[in-house]
């Protein structure tokens, strides 16, 4: 799978043995079967590992964990919560950008753009737990092996690096990060930015300024959270 998808060198070195696990072989068979049945899978094959390919292992400074890729046409491009340019912004992302604006006092910040690739290029790993989905069927690729793979990504990254910021919005992401060493990393938690829960503590969480304060205190450059395209 890595050679066909084009996983970048630093992640391949960290994860190469994972692709030989039984669950990854089963996942590959499942995806091949879905393709043979002419099902439309998001994101496109070249974007499945976009989160990992957008920032090397050594460049990661912040990790934001999502759940599934968007399942509507044209939305998913391999980065959690992000959409390509000129695509309508989903409600959770609207709330994320509103909190960026509020937290960092970006009064002129445009919330009509939703491509977060600028964050990824600065070292923000925008990682979904499940990396593929069938069109129009949210959660359709859960339980097929992706969750075990992304657990390995988080576990090995947390063990290999120090002083990272892990941002866990909602109970799903928080369970995903339960094994992180809080002494070696900053772990920020809040309710999910979904309209159903954002008013229960996501708004006002201040995660973007807190992340930057921690990064600067540990010798990293802060993230330019206004770099949305």
């Amino acid at each position: 799978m890595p050679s066909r998808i084009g996983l970048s060198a630093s992640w391949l070195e960290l994860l190469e043995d994972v692709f030989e696990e039984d669950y990854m072989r089963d996942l590959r068979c499942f995806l091949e079967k879905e393709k043979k049945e002419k099902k439309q899978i998001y994101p496109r094959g070249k974007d499945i590992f976009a989160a990992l390919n957008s920032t090397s292992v050594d460049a990661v400074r912040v990790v934001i964990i999502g759940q599934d890729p968007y399942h509507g046409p044209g939305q998913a491009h391999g980065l959690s919560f992000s959409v390509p340019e000129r695509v309508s912004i989903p409600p959770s992302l609207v709330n994320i950008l509103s909190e960026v604006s509020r937290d960092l006092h970006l009064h002129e910040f445009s919330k009509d753009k939703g491509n977060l690739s600028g964050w990824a290029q600065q070292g923000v790993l925008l990682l979904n737990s499940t990396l593929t989905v069938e069109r129009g069927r949210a959660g359709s690729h859960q339980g097929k092996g992706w969750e075990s793979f992304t657990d390995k990504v988080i576990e090995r990254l947390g063990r290999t690096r120090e002083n990272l910021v892990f941002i866990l919005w909602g109970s799903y992401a928080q369970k995903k990060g339960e094994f992180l060493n809080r002494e070696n990393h900053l772990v920020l938690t809040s309710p999910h930015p979904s309209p159903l829960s954002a008013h229960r503590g996501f708004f006002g969480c201040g995660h973007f300024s807190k992340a930057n304060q921690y990064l600067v205190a540990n010798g990293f450059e802060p993230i330019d959270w206004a770099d949305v395209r």
Side-chain angles (χ1 to χ4, degrees):
M1 187 182 286
S3 60
R4 283 186 285 171
I5 297 297
L7 191 64
S8 61
S10 67
W11 290 104
L12 187 56
E13 181 179 356
L14 188 70
L15 301 167
E16 188 166 19
D17 63 301
V18 174
F19 287 90
E20 301 307 316
E21 296 285 347
D22 288 344
Y23 64 82
M24 290 303 288
R25 293 187 183 126
D26 292 344
L27 173 60
R28 183 162 56 244
C29 291
F30 166 75
L31 292 174
E32 289 172 351
K33 180 174 179 289
E34 295 285 280
K35 186 176 180 180
K36 286 179 181 176
E37 293 177 359
K38 306 298 182 183
K39 293 181 180 178
Q40 196 163 357
I41 306 302
Y42 298 141
R44 296 174 299 177
K46 72 180 187 65
D47 291 332
I48 290 174
F49 291 111
L52 302 179
N53 288 335
S54 295
T55 182
S56 67
V57 172
D58 289 341
V60 174
R61 289 181 279 165
V62 179
V63 181
I64 298 179
I65 298 175
Q67 190 165 351
D68 278 355
Y70 296 122
H71 56 86
Q75 292 180 305
H77 66 142
L79 306 178
S80 63
F81 296 103
S82 178
V83 292
E85 295 174 30
R86 295 180 293 278
V87 171
S88 179
I89 304 177
S92 291
L93 182 53
V94 169
N95 289 341
I96 291 169
L97 299 178
S98 294
E99 177 59 18
V100 169
S101 178
R102 185 213 63 81
D103 183 20
L104 303 177
H105 308 290
L106 301 176
H107 302 299
E108 302 301 319
F109 182 49
S110 172
K111 293 189 282 291
D112 60 358
K113 298 177 181 178
N115 187 334
L116 306 182
S117 59
W119 295 4
Q121 290 165 13
Q122 296 177 71
V124 180
L125 180 62
L126 296 164
L127 183 68
N128 278 316
S129 175
T130 303
L131 300 190
T132 56
V133 70
E134 183 183 345
R135 175 177 176 167
R137 295 188 62 217
S140 53
H141 288 188
Q142 291 179 7
K144 304 299 184 183
W146 279 129
E147 295 92 340
S148 296
F149 172 76
T150 50
D151 278 348
K152 285 291 187 183
V153 172
I154 296 164
E155 186 269 327
R156 292 191 182 183
L157 183 64
R159 183 160 41 86
T160 303
R161 300 284 312 284
E162 291 187 350
N163 301 322
L164 300 181
V165 181
F166 288 84
I167 296 179
L168 311 178
W169 294 324
S171 59
Y172 185 93
Q174 289 159 28
K175 289 177 183 176
K176 191 89 174 160
E178 281 180 346
F179 51 78
L180 291 169
N181 187 334
R182 265 66 170 176
E183 294 181 2
N184 291 344
H185 306 289
L186 176 64
V187 180
L188 299 172
T189 63
S190 82
H192 194 275
S194 161
L196 297 175
S197 56
H199 291 280
R200 298 204 297 264
F202 173 77
F203 289 131
C205 67
H207 284 177
F208 304 98
S209 60
K210 290 174 183 176
N212 278 351
Q213 290 163 8
Y214 181 84
L215 291 173
V216 170
N218 285 281
F220 294 105
E221 289 292 319
I223 302 297
D224 176 11
W225 296 108
D227 186 0
V228 179
R229 304 169 183 184

